[in-house]
C-alpha cells in the first residue's frame, strides 16, 4: 500500500540517500526496474546502456545520469567508475544447438555477461574499499544454477557470473563490500520476449506453447516474474539489514532449483 507521499512502504524501508548506484542494461527490463527502485530509495543513479535514447529517457525520469556504453566493445578498463552500488544486469540471449551455435555469438555473450561484470567490478572496488562500503549485485538467473538445452553461452556465462560473484564476496567482505547473485526464473522483459520467439522457432511450436510447455514447466508457480520483484530484492541487498548477506545466490525461481 502506498503512503501519503505515494511511496510504498518497501521503498521507505531502504534508505540509500547519499549513495551512488550504477545499473547496466538499465534502459529497459530488470535494469530499468532496479534503477527506479534504487532511485526511489534515495540513491543517485547512473543508467548505463548502449541504447542512448533509452538510457537518457530513464535517467531523465530519475534525475540521474545516462552513460552510453556498449559493454561488448568499450575499453572498460579506462572507464572512470566511482560508485557505491554496482548492478551487473546487462545481458542478451542466443538460442541454438551447440553444433549450430556461432562461435562469435558465444564469445559475445560471455563478453557482455561475464567479462564486463569483472571489468566493471574491478574498476569500482578501489573506491568501495576506500569508503568501507559497497554492494555488487549480479543479476544472474536460474540458469546460473541449472542448465537448459540450446543455451550454451547463456548458461556458461551465468554459471561463470556465479563464481565471479563468490570471489568478489570473499575479497570484498573484509572491506565492507558484499557481492551477491539474484537468480530469477523467466522475467517479463524484452529479452524473454525474444527468447519466446527463438524457442518457438527452435522447437517448431507456437509462442503460447513455449511459455506454457517450456518456460513454466519447472517453476511450481505458473507465471513470469515481474521486473519490480527482482528490483525489490536488489534494494534489500543494499540495505543495512542485509549487510551479512554475502556470496549468496538468491533464487526467485518458483522452486525450479528445488528439484
Amino acid at each position: 500500500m502506498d503512503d501519503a507521499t505515494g511511496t510504498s512502504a518497501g521503498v521507505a524501508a531502504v534508505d540509500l540517500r547519499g549513495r551512488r548506484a550504477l545499473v547496466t542494461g538499465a534502459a529497459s527490463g530488470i535494469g530499468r526496474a532496479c534503477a527506479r527502485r534504487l532511485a526511489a530509495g534515495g540513491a543517485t543513479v547512473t543508467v548505463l546502456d548502449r541504447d542512448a535514447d533509452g538510457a537518457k529517457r530513464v535517467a531523465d525520469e530519475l534525475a540521474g545520469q545516462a552513460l552510453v556504453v556498449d559493454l561488448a566493445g568499450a575499453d572498460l578498463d579506462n572507464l572512470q567508475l566511482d560508485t557505491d552500488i554496482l548492478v551487473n544486469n546487462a545481458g542478451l540471449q542466443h538460442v541454438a544447438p551447440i553444433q549450430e551455435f556461432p562461435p562469435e555469438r558465444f564469445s559475445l555473450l560471455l563478453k557482455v555477461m561475464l567479462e564486463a561484470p569483472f571489468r566493471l567490478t574491478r574498476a569500482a572496488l578501489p573506491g568501495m574499499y576506500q569508503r568501507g562500503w559497497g554492494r555488487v549485485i549480479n543479476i544472474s538467473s536460474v540458469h546460473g544454477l541449472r542448465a537448459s538445452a540450446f543455451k550454451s553461452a547463456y548458461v556458461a556465462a551465468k554459471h561463470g557470473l556465479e563464481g565471479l560473484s563468490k570471489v568478489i564476496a570473499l575479497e570484498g567482505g573484509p572491506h565492507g563490500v558484499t557481492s551477491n547473485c539474484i537468480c530469477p526464473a523467466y522475467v517479463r522483459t524484452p529479452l524473454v520476449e525474444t527468447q519466446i520467439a527463438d524457442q518457438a522457432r527452435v522447437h517448431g511450436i507456437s509462442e503460447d506453447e513455449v511459455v506454457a510447455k517450456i518456460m513454466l514447466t519447472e517453476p511450481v508457480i505458473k507465471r513470469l516474474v515481474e521486473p519490480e520483484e527482482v528490483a525489490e530484492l536488489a534494494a534489500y541487498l543494499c540495505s543495512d539489514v542485509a549487510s551479512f548477506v554475502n556470496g549468496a545466490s538468491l533464487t526467485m525461481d518458483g522452486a525450479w532449483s528445488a528439484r
Side-chain angles (χ1 to χ4, degrees):
M1 180 180 295
D2 289 351
D3 61 21
T5 66
T7 302
S8 70
V11 170
V14 181
D15 185 359
L16 299 177
R17 288 173 294 180
R19 302 295 189 190
R20 293 162 297 173
L22 183 138
V23 183
T24 70
S28 65
I30 295 172
R32 179 175 60 192
C34 287
R36 287 173 170 169
R37 180 62 181 83
L38 297 178
T44 301
V45 178
T46 296
V47 176
L48 187 153
D49 206 288
R50 67 176 185 173
D51 176 3
D53 292 340
K56 184 178 185 304
R57 183 165 53 250
V58 175
D60 288 348
E61 171 194 335
L62 305 178
Q65 175 185 357
L67 183 59
V68 181
V69 175
D70 183 350
L71 294 178
D75 183 4
L76 300 181
D77 292 331
N78 291 322
L79 186 65
Q80 298 298 313
L81 192 59
D82 193 15
T83 188
D84 303 298
I85 300 164
L86 172 62
V87 181
N88 289 309
N89 163 74
L92 67 158
Q93 179 63 278
H94 188 88
V95 179
I98 291 175
Q99 70 274 18
E100 299 173 10
F101 209 103
E104 65 277 7
R105 292 293 291 178
F106 191 96
S107 297
L108 175 64
L109 265 68
L110 263 67
K111 181 170 287 189
V112 172
M113 294 193 293
L114 181 55
E115 186 174 336
F118 160 73
R119 292 182 181 275
L120 292 174
T121 303
R122 180 175 180 270
L125 284 180
M128 293 180 178
Y129 286 179
Q130 184 178 28
R131 290 183 292 275
W133 194 96
R135 297 289 184 266
V136 179
I137 300 170
N138 300 298
I139 305 301
S140 181
S141 166
V142 66
H143 284 113
L145 307 174
R146 299 289 186 271
S148 288
F150 309 114
K151 296 182 178 180
S152 55
Y154 190 88
V155 170
K158 293 302 188 182
H159 272 67
L161 185 63
E162 295 280 334
L164 173 63
S165 183
K166 291 178 173 63
V167 175
I168 298 167
L170 293 175
E171 295 185 13
H175 301 277
V177 177
T178 66
S179 174
N180 294 285
C181 286
I182 298 176
C183 307
Y186 292 100
V187 183
R188 194 186 306 278
T189 66
L191 178 63
V192 166
E193 290 171 358
T194 300
Q195 288 184 58
I196 292 171
D198 287 343
Q199 289 278 13
R201 173 180 52 80
V202 168
H203 294 284
I205 59 178
S206 72
E207 293 188 5
D208 287 342
E209 288 178 297
V210 168
V211 175
K213 296 182 178 180
I214 297 177
M215 292 187 168
L216 299 183
T217 299
E218 299 299 333
V220 298
I221 301 172
K222 301 299 182 182
R223 66 172 177 83
L224 299 178
V225 184
E226 298 299 332
E228 291 75 18
E229 294 177 278
V230 181
E232 282 296 329
L233 185 49
Y236 164 74
L237 290 172
C238 295
S239 69
D240 291 339
V241 296
S243 62
F244 210 71
V245 181
N246 191 28
S249 298
L250 304 173
T251 60
M252 300 183 71
D253 63 7
W256 180 335
S257 58
R259 296 181 184 275

